[in-house]
């Protein structure tokens, strides 16, 4: 499990988004949906500590896998 004091970085893949809205329901301070297609909008790529637990939950709940949790100190991109 990651250290809650460690910064968190999120990224989204709108091409994968199915518009289910689980992210916006779970972490509305971090995610929203656009009005046109209902696709994910990332409001906080680096959520505040008080929003990180909800953001992690939203990553796990995304049915399309459109949200990624990235380590801020990760420079090795060989994990595919």
């Amino acid at each position: 499990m990651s250290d809650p004091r460690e910064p968190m970085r999120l990224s989204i893949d709108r091409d994968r988004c199915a518009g289910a809205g689980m992210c916006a329901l779970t972490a509305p301070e971090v995610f929203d949906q656009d009005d046109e297609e209902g696709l994910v909008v990332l409001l906080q790529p680096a959520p505040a500590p008080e929003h990180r637990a909800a953001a992690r939950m939203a990553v796990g709940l995304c049915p399309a896998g459109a949200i990624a949790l990235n380590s801020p100190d990760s420079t090795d991109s060989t994990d595919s």
Side-chain angles (χ1 to χ4, degrees):
M1 185 168 251
S2 64
D3 183 339
R5 296 167 296 179
E6 189 175 302
M8 169 191 276
R9 290 289 303 171
L10 297 166
S11 61
I12 58 171
D13 182 346
R14 286 177 50 92
D15 291 334
R16 290 184 72 169
C17 181
M22 294 305 298
C23 57
L25 289 171
T26 305
E29 302 84 6
V30 181
F31 303 100
D32 199 357
Q33 290 178 278
D34 69 30
D35 291 333
E36 295 80 34
E37 300 174 280
L39 300 180
V40 64
V41 175
L42 183 57
L43 302 175
Q44 292 187 36
E50 62 270 19
H51 301 303
R52 291 178 188 162
R56 275 191 196 86
M57 186 177 291
V59 171
L61 290 173
C62 180
I67 307 168
L69 177 58
N70 307 299
S71 296
D73 58 350
S74 175
T75 55
D76 181 14
S77 61
T78 58
D79 296 338
S80 294

